Amino acid sequence: MKITLIQPSNIVTETQARWLEPFLPVGLGLLAALLRDQGHRVQILDAYTEGWELRGRLAGDMVEVGLAEEEIAAQVRRFQPQVVGFSVPLDTQALRLQTLARWVKAIHPEIYVVCGGAYPSRMVEKVLRLPEVDAVVLGEAEESFPALLRSLEHGGAWDGLAGVAWKDRSGAFAVRPQREPRPGWDALPLPAWDLLPLKHYFQAAGGRRVPLMTSRGCSGSCAYCHTNSLSGEVRRYWPPEALVAQMRQLSGFFGVNEFLFDDDGLLSDPAWMHEVCDRIIADGLKVQWQARGGVDPAAVNEALLGKMRQAGGRELRFHVASGSRRILRQILNMPLDLYQLEKAIDLALAAGFKVSCRFLLGSPTETQEEIYETLNFAWKLRSRGVEEFRFDPGPALGSDATAPASSPDLIIGAAEVEQIQDTAMREFNSRGLVADLTRRMAPGRKPVRTEERFFPTVAPRPRLHPVIPLDDHTAALDIRS
């Protein structure tokens, strides 16, 4: 079958757009490699990365970062897929989901539309209510999505599909429990890097660097994170030999000289990290890497830091979230010891690492006093030598966040939080060391181009364009009872 995998563009406020970081969908690359090995023809459309330099001005102060939906539809029309899969990791990307799906159905009403990723897995019924969406893949897709394709192609038993939700011909929802996470990575191929827009990503990131997945799953229960619900509570690491082989391939074939480890538990297993470093050193790989997903302060020690530096490690990012102990413990459910964090940062700086920290501002019930408590703690870290800071919007935890604030009358609104966030990003990174500012000053980087767009747009109705003849596999798409 011919399959198009799409990462939608990102719709945020103008203020948030200033501090966005590019995001390469390595998970789609892994899924594409798996599907290609099974005989499918696969296309990846990364609207976010390919249109990184574009800013579509929408209503109010909203902007769309990425390709316009008309361009995405044109590329889908040229490829003529039978199945289109949307990967929606972020809530802000879901804002474009329905209109994109509408465009796909306008190209040919028999194209089967599937959604996956963090947002659809959490909002299954909301996504299935969209008339243009046919199915949702829950959690990890490497087994569920190929099984769904086999049922479409060969008319298999739909009741046996685990980890898939779909609509039958009457419109009723059928939701099957999520599959147990794959126990290991050994049977999975390397991501299809040739299908990912690496050239666009290099330009957006300001250098030949790429993100890598090193693990899945998490035993933590932080209130703002959905990793364990998507990938299980047991952390599964990529085998060190396979990870280093992938780094060698990317360095040799694509000229990559820096890797971004985005996993939030990179040091959760120090023995695994030691083995990875030993293999990098033994292979003589002349590369650098950053730990951007968050480092566990409890795992930091001088011996491990020394080994990591020898293996090319240059930057560690700590997820601090808040300087308020009430927010950390009662709202975010983070078992973070701030004193231990300071000691870990001191060790990392002494070992020669550049250190960055990430905070969340505006968590449910957070007061203005607690926000300033966080900013004061961040300033304390800056005085210790931390060079880069990110201040992101706090999570919308809904009714689960019921712990009362000490001063409810000081709880502030989203607009004021965004203003504080923007000011903090500027002030704390005023020395020009923030990644976004570094990329702006990188030589050869294209200037951002703004264009007027409409949202929500009204896509053409089905069959407005000439119907694309699909092959005999299309008949299997009728099996949805």
Side-chain angles (χ1 to χ4, degrees):
M1 300 180 76
K2 296 176 71 174
I3 303 159
T4 295
L5 303 176
I6 300 176
Q7 174 178 228
S9 53
N10 203 355
I11 296 180
V12 294
T13 66
E14 289 190 55
T15 299
Q16 292 169 343
R18 285 199 288 267
W19 307 109
L20 285 177
E21 293 182 337
F23 171 72
L24 190 69
V26 179
L28 281 188
L30 179 61
L31 183 59
L34 190 67
L35 296 176
R36 195 162 57 180
D37 287 350
Q38 296 175 2
H40 300 289
R41 290 184 59 189
V42 186
Q43 172 196 41
I44 292 180
L45 271 178
D46 183 0
Y48 184 40
T49 302
E50 292 181 39
W52 175 256
E53 304 294 343
L54 301 177
R55 299 293 187 272
R57 194 178 304 282
L58 306 175
D61 67 339
M62 303 300 290
V63 295
E64 180 176 19
V65 181
L67 295 178
E69 54 188 2
E70 296 88 345
E71 173 60 26
I72 300 170
Q75 294 192 43
V76 172
R77 189 180 296 114
R78 285 193 292 268
F79 189 68
Q80 301 184 12
Q82 297 146 282
V83 176
V84 170
F86 290 99
S87 175
V88 191
L90 304 175
D91 292 13
T92 49
Q93 291 177 300
L95 297 173
R96 196 46 108 182
L97 177 59
Q98 182 171 15
T99 52
L100 284 176
R102 192 179 300 160
W103 274 95
V104 170
K105 289 294 188 180
I107 293 170
H108 197 297
E110 291 299 324
I111 295 177
Y112 199 77
V113 175
V114 185
C115 296
Y119 179 82
S121 295
R122 290 186 290 111
M123 304 292 185
V124 181
E125 292 192 4
K126 182 175 182 179
V127 174
L128 280 179
R129 287 193 192 101
L130 301 178
E132 299 82 8
V133 173
D134 297 301
V136 171
V137 173
L138 310 177
E140 297 178 359
E142 287 82 17
E143 293 184 8
S144 301
F145 190 53
L148 172 62
L149 295 179
R150 287 192 295 271
S151 293
L152 290 172
E153 193 171 14
H154 303 298
W158 283 74
D159 287 341
L161 286 178
V164 178
W166 69 91
K167 288 181 285 196
D168 61 25
R169 298 185 72 82
S170 68
F173 298 165
V175 182
R176 296 294 176 264
Q178 189 171 319
R179 288 177 181 266
E180 286 295 319
R182 178 187 288 268
W185 297 75
D186 298 347
L188 293 177
L190 295 180
W193 294 103
D194 57 305
L195 297 181
L196 291 167
L198 290 181
K199 180 179 179 180
H200 292 89
Y201 184 80
F202 292 158
Q203 292 175 344
R208 289 187 170 268
R209 59 185 69 163
V210 296
L212 286 181
M213 295 187 297
T214 62
S215 69
R216 279 186 181 170
C218 181
S219 59
S221 56
C222 300
Y224 63 89
C225 181
H226 304 285
T227 298
N228 52 12
S229 63
L230 293 172
S231 300
E233 298 180 356
V234 177
R235 190 175 297 279
R236 295 152 291 143
Y237 285 92
W238 195 283
E241 62 276 10
L243 178 63
V244 175
Q246 187 173 190
M247 296 171 69
R248 190 186 312 112
Q249 179 199 50
L250 288 166
S251 178
F253 285 94
F254 299 102
V256 175
N257 53 29
E258 187 172 2
F259 298 93
L260 311 175
F261 296 152
D262 283 339
D263 308 62
D264 55 6
L266 189 66
L267 302 187
S268 296
D269 186 349
W272 177 88
M273 191 71 240
H274 270 290
E275 186 175 352
V276 169
C277 292
D278 287 338
R279 289 183 177 273
I280 292 175
I281 296 169
D283 278 22
L285 280 178
K286 303 301 181 183
V287 296
Q288 294 183 328
W289 54 266
Q290 305 177 30
R292 294 197 316 176
V295 174
D296 182 4
V300 173
N301 59 69
E302 292 184 11
L304 182 55
L305 290 172
K307 180 73 70 64
M308 290 162 61
R309 281 291 292 166
Q310 189 181 356
R314 76 176 188 89
E315 181 177 344
L316 302 180
R317 176 178 290 179
F318 292 85
H319 280 193
V320 188
S322 177
S324 165
R325 285 176 169 78
R326 185 189 77 87
I327 295 296
L328 285 173
R329 296 172 183 174
Q330 297 184 37
I331 305 301
L332 300 180
N333 197 31
M334 284 185 65
L336 178 65
D337 186 326
L338 295 179
Y339 176 77
Q340 188 179 53
L341 170 73
E342 292 182 57
K343 296 302 180 185
I345 289 176
D346 288 343
L347 288 175
L349 291 170
F353 280 93
K354 174 183 175 180
V355 174
S356 61
C357 290
R358 177 175 179 251
F359 294 85
L360 302 176
L361 298 181
S363 295
T365 76
E366 188 169 21
T367 66
Q368 185 174 357
E369 181 181 348
E370 287 169 325
I371 287 179
Y372 286 127
E373 189 177 352
T374 293
L375 295 178
N376 286 335
F377 184 72
W379 194 263
K380 180 181 180 182
L381 297 181
R382 188 183 190 221
S383 67
R384 299 181 87 102
V386 176
E387 295 183 4
E388 182 181 318
F389 294 82
R390 280 200 64 85
F391 296 92
D392 293 324
L397 303 180
S399 59
D400 291 336
T402 55
S406 55
S407 304
D409 56 319
L410 293 180
I411 296 176
I412 57 180
E416 189 173 353
V417 168
E418 186 174 280
Q419 184 179 3
I420 294 174
Q421 171 203 351
D422 184 53
T423 303
M425 288 287 283
R426 295 176 183 276
E427 292 294 329
F428 279 85
N429 298 295
S430 60
R431 290 173 291 181
L433 296 172
V434 67
D436 186 72
L437 296 178
T438 303
R439 286 195 297 274
R440 289 181 186 177
M441 295 184 291
R445 187 175 187 269
K446 296 180 181 179
V448 170
R449 179 161 59 88
T450 303
E451 58 189 23
E452 295 295 331
R453 296 182 188 172
F454 298 97
F455 180 79
T457 58
V458 179
R461 293 183 178 181
R463 300 188 183 276
L464 183 63
H465 295 284
V467 173
I468 301 171
L470 301 179
D471 58 31
D472 293 338
H473 291 316
T474 308
L477 300 182
D478 292 330
I479 307 175
R480 281 182 270 172
S481 58

